[in-house]
Amino acid sequence: MRRLIVPRAGGREVLRVEQVADLQPAPGEVRVRVRAAGLNFADVMARQGLYPDAPPFPACLGYEFAGEVDALGAGVEAQWLGRRVFGLSRFSAQAEQVCVPLAQVFEQPAALSFEQAAAIPVNYLTAWQLLVVMGSLQRDETVLIHNIGGGVGLAALQIAKQRGARVIGTASQGKHAALKELGADALIDYGQGRWETALQSLTEGRGVELIIDPIGGSHLKRSLSALRSTGRLGTFGISAATQSGAWGKLKLLGTVLGMPWLHPVGLMEHNRGVFGVNMGHLWHETEKVRTWMQALLQGVEAGWLKPHVHASFALVEAAQAHACLEQRKNLGKVILLP
């Protein structure tokens, strides 16, 4: 089988496709013939050598997939063979085959293509945790979604609208028309000065109840200051640090050092909360994650959850896929097709 490999940390040019022996599922696992695999900023940062959870080089990356079960490990019921499924993988999904525990696999809804199904696990589970589980977004509250045009951003937009919230997003001007059609109530062009000024105008100086921020660094200070009383700030990335080579590590250090230092007394005084989300650290919470996914699958059935795939790339086009994410060209999910 073929798989996408990152042989060493570097730019997009290091990506290559290699052929290896077919995988064999361990007891309790299924092997999936991957038809679509998601690409995330975690993969970009892993390629750059900046993602601490990444496997050692040479590495096959990828947290999510969709495809057909074509082999079963010992103890897995025969009825799973041939089923269309999607799910989560602790890397190695950007390949023609992936083996995962059955608990990390879900039946693919008939209404979804492989590409759409592969767009769900990381983005929608992250957005659900940010908005519903930890952000406690309520009807008629206002949420600010930074980078609303990205994969998590669009997932958060759909979830927030389903919960009856008002949605404000930051995105480049070229994405505004499409985002309006997708349901955003108001949009701010982050390329036109400080977004805080526009946000204050949109909220009559009050700020918002919830902000989700994938940028990190000193940008978190700006988001924190834009919260209304009882407001919550959810952080789930450090995209501000994205850069290859030695400069990337220095940029990452500067980004981390630029984050705000928080104290419980200060949070109490302002009636604010701050929390962090990392789906890659929830492998021990399988039942909890499965409960969240069942709620999302109900959204697919009800019609409000509609994965938006920006573009699909073959494995040999992986450098173009990475460029699409790094340059913020995507509106929604970027998919790899093994």
Side-chain angles (χ1 to χ4, degrees), residues 95-337:
E96 290 181 333
Q97 298 174 352
V98 66
C99 289
V100 294
L102 185 60
Q104 293 169 208
V105 167
F106 307 88
E107 287 197 63
Q108 180 176 319
L112 299 183
S113 66
F114 287 123
E115 292 93 330
Q116 289 174 313
I120 290 179
V122 171
N123 290 165
Y124 280 87
L125 285 169
T126 298
W128 188 263
Q129 187 181 353
L130 283 163
L131 270 64
V132 180
V133 179
M134 300 179 74
S136 188
L137 183 64
Q138 304 297 310
R139 178 171 295 277
D140 297 325
E141 286 190 325
T142 301
V143 56
L144 173 64
I145 302 173
H146 286 301
N147 191 23
I148 192 173
V152 174
L154 281 190
L157 169 58
Q158 291 179 7
I159 293 169
K161 295 304 294 184
Q162 190 273 336
R163 293 182 69 80
R166 181 191 182 202
V167 177
I168 302 173
T170 62
S172 58
Q173 184 65 44
K175 298 180 181 180
H176 284 201
L179 288 165
K180 280 278 191 180
E181 290 185 8
L182 291 169
D185 296 293
L187 294 158
I188 300 171
D189 182 1
Y190 57 68
Q192 300 296 318
R194 293 179 66 86
W195 54 263
E196 296 96 316
T197 303
L199 183 67
Q200 289 298 301
S201 176
L202 289 168
T203 61
E204 298 178 343
R206 292 190 299 268
V208 299
E209 282 86 5
L210 178 62
I211 298 177
I212 62 172
D213 189 324
I215 302 169
S218 61
H219 193 266
L220 292 177
K221 298 177 183 177
R222 298 166 61 186
S223 289
L224 186 62
S225 67
L227 289 175
R228 186 176 184 173
S229 294
T230 73
R232 293 84 68 193
L233 169 61
T235 178
F236 62 105
I238 47 175
S239 64
T242 305
Q243 187 171 328
S244 299
W247 284 111
K249 291 183 173 59
L250 289 174
K251 191 175 182 181
L252 176 61
L253 177 61
T255 300
V256 172
L257 292 176
M259 291 183 178
W261 293 95
L262 303 171
H263 194 279
V265 173
L267 295 176
M268 286 190 291
E269 287 180 349
H270 295 286
N271 286 286
R272 291 172 177 166
V274 179
F275 61 91
V277 165
N278 185 339
M279 282 296 302
H281 289 181
L282 287 176
W283 298 106
H284 62 297
E285 296 283 8
T286 304
E287 290 306 314
K288 189 182 292 287
V289 172
R290 290 192 69 85
T291 298
W292 302 346
M293 182 61 80
Q294 290 308 314
L296 292 169
L297 289 175
Q298 290 173 13
V300 174
E301 185 176 350
W304 62 260
L305 193 160
K306 300 176 181 178
H308 186 86
V309 176
H310 173 78
S312 299
F313 298 86
L315 288 186
V316 293
E317 301 171 321
Q320 295 171 242
H322 276 237
C324 187
L325 273 188
E326 287 181 84
Q327 297 165 9
R328 274 64 166 191
K329 292 180 178 179
N330 60 303
L331 182 68
K333 190 70 175 182
V334 175
I335 294 292
L336 291 173
L337 301 177

